[in-house]
Amino acid sequence: MTPNIRGNHLFSNLTDALSYPSLHPAISGHNQERAYEMGELSVDGADLYQAFQHTEVAPPAANIWEPVTDFHYLNSSGRYLVPAQFHYLPRPVSAHQPVTFLKAVLEDPIGTQVATTEISNPDGLRQINLNFDDVTPGDYTLKISNSSTQLDQYTITISSDAYHLSDWAMIEIGHRNSLGDFRLLETPDGYLKFNGSNLDTPVFEVRIGSRLTNWEYIPFEDQILTPHSDNSSSITTVGSRLFTKSPRGLSHFPQPIAFKEDGTNDQIYLPNPGKPYVQASDPEQYISIIQLPELNI
């Protein structure tokens, strides 16, 4: 994912916004005032969806949002660990309507406004440079709005000492009596949690869903590959190239695709993308390109 805020993830049990055993906040509700990136998660009512392409269409639009069952996946609404100076990357309201004005407001935990930044550009904004050098390190709420609507809200932790550009995430585990299932010790005794005759070691989770991309297969020297009819619902051809009709997770097993005449049982297993590399393509999707060797068919 390319988040709006390029900070480190902070997995911490010292927050009230968690659902045991997930060590990451819940996914936020769908916001129709902003665009979503392919792969982002959004809650619509009681249902969870994942975007199949960059979109400003609310779920559950067919072929754009796919239902997802696990509400505890790592997502873009989590806490971010950021330095005192960082960038916010606005997404366009729509493909033909760039963001020209944004306001960033920083509030402390009791809702007091501690800093405000406004920036505008009639040609569209690519990023906002936020400077909170005068703010005491700690937890804050960052609210981003345009001239009339709040677009995003994040709980961030500002700490230039803890943030490192080369890190992806930081894990913070602590103990307080009020943490419920996320506490490390029994209260008020101060012993490890006790369950029957066995000590109950706390186990927390960070669930990471596979990145979805559209897969494009490039045959050897334009070798013609015709999918078997059993695969017509998942694979399509454009010229000599093969495309998956819908995004696939990068962790899937090799995909069986047949290239013989209908009625045969011969199948060739095409490889998954060989490395976690994706690139943008039309219509506003990410693709993984797989270069095939010559196939004996």
Side-chain angles (χ1 to χ4, degrees):
M1 290 299 303
T2 304
N4 298 77
I5 299 174
R6 296 175 184 265
N8 299 159
H9 287 283
L10 178 58
F11 303 122
S12 173
N13 72 327
L14 301 178
T15 177
D16 298 328
L18 300 178
S19 176
Y20 184 82
S22 178
L23 205 62
H24 195 273
I27 300 162
S28 59
H30 188 79
N31 184 348
Q32 298 190 43
E33 301 298 329
R34 53 157 290 195
Y36 283 81
E37 180 183 357
M38 177 182 178
E40 279 198 89
L41 298 169
S42 180
V43 173
D44 184 53
D47 300 315
L48 174 65
Y49 295 90
Q50 184 173 32
F52 263 7
Q53 68 181 59
H54 302 334
T55 179
E56 63 272 6
V57 178
N63 301 322
I64 296 179
W65 293 91
E66 179 192 42
V68 181
T69 57
D70 193 333
F71 276 75
H72 298 112
Y73 278 137
L74 175 68
N75 62 87
S76 59
S77 65
R79 293 176 72 185
Y80 283 90
L81 174 63
V82 296
Q85 298 184 40
F86 59 95
H87 295 152
Y88 173 82
L89 306 177
R91 295 196 181 97
V93 176
S94 70
H96 305 289
Q97 185 181 350
V99 174
T100 59
F101 171 83
L102 282 178
K103 179 179 180 181
V105 175
L106 192 69
E107 296 180 354
D108 65 16
I110 62 173
T112 302
Q113 182 174 312
V114 297
T116 301
T117 297
E118 296 184 5
I119 186 170
S120 61
N121 187 330
D123 297 325
L125 295 173
R126 293 185 177 273
Q127 70 179 22
I128 300 178
N129 301 317
L130 299 176
N131 186 337
F132 299 127
D133 279 332
D134 296 332
V135 171
T136 302
D139 294 340
Y140 294 91
T141 298
L142 177 65
K143 297 180 179 179
I144 306 292
S145 60
N146 57 24
S147 56
S148 60
T149 305
Q150 181 172 309
L151 302 178
D152 281 312
Q153 177 172 314
Y154 298 95
T155 298
I156 61 175
T157 298
I158 296 178
S159 175
S160 296
D161 292 334
Y163 172 84
H164 296 282
L165 182 62
S166 60
D167 291 344
W168 174 71
M170 176 179 175
I171 298 177
E172 175 187 67
I173 302 295
H175 178 72
R176 286 201 304 259
N177 291 348
S178 61
L179 292 177
D181 289 332
F182 284 92
R183 71 182 187 275
L184 303 179
L185 306 173
E186 286 285 7
T187 55
D189 302 321
Y191 297 107
L192 280 174
K193 292 196 295 182
F194 191 75
N195 181 13
S197 59
N198 300 314
L199 292 177
D200 185 11
T201 304
V203 177
F204 307 139
E205 296 182 351
V206 175
R207 305 181 192 178
I208 303 175
S210 173
R211 182 64 193 246
L212 293 180
T213 64
N214 286 85
W215 298 2
E216 176 183 349
Y217 290 98
I218 303 177
F220 179 81
E221 294 184 351
D222 294 330
Q223 182 180 22
I224 301 301
L225 305 176
T226 303
H228 191 286
S229 60
D230 290 347
N231 299 102
S232 60
S233 62
S234 60
I235 298 292
T236 187
T237 59
V238 177
S240 63
R241 300 191 178 195
L242 299 171
F243 296 86
T244 55
K245 290 185 177 179
S246 61
R248 295 172 183 259
L250 294 178
S251 63
H252 277 190
F253 292 104
Q255 305 298 304
I257 301 173
F259 297 111
K260 295 295 185 180
E261 294 293 329
D262 287 359
T264 70
N265 294 319
D266 298 328
Q267 294 192 82
I268 294 175
Y269 287 79
L270 296 185
N272 281 21
K275 56 184 178 181
Y277 170 77
V278 297
Q279 68 181 47
S281 73
D282 293 329
E284 295 189 326
Q285 293 183 323
Y286 291 116
I287 60 172
S288 295
I289 297 178
I290 305 101
Q291 184 76 49
L292 296 175
E294 185 175 12
L295 300 178
N296 183 20
I297 61 173

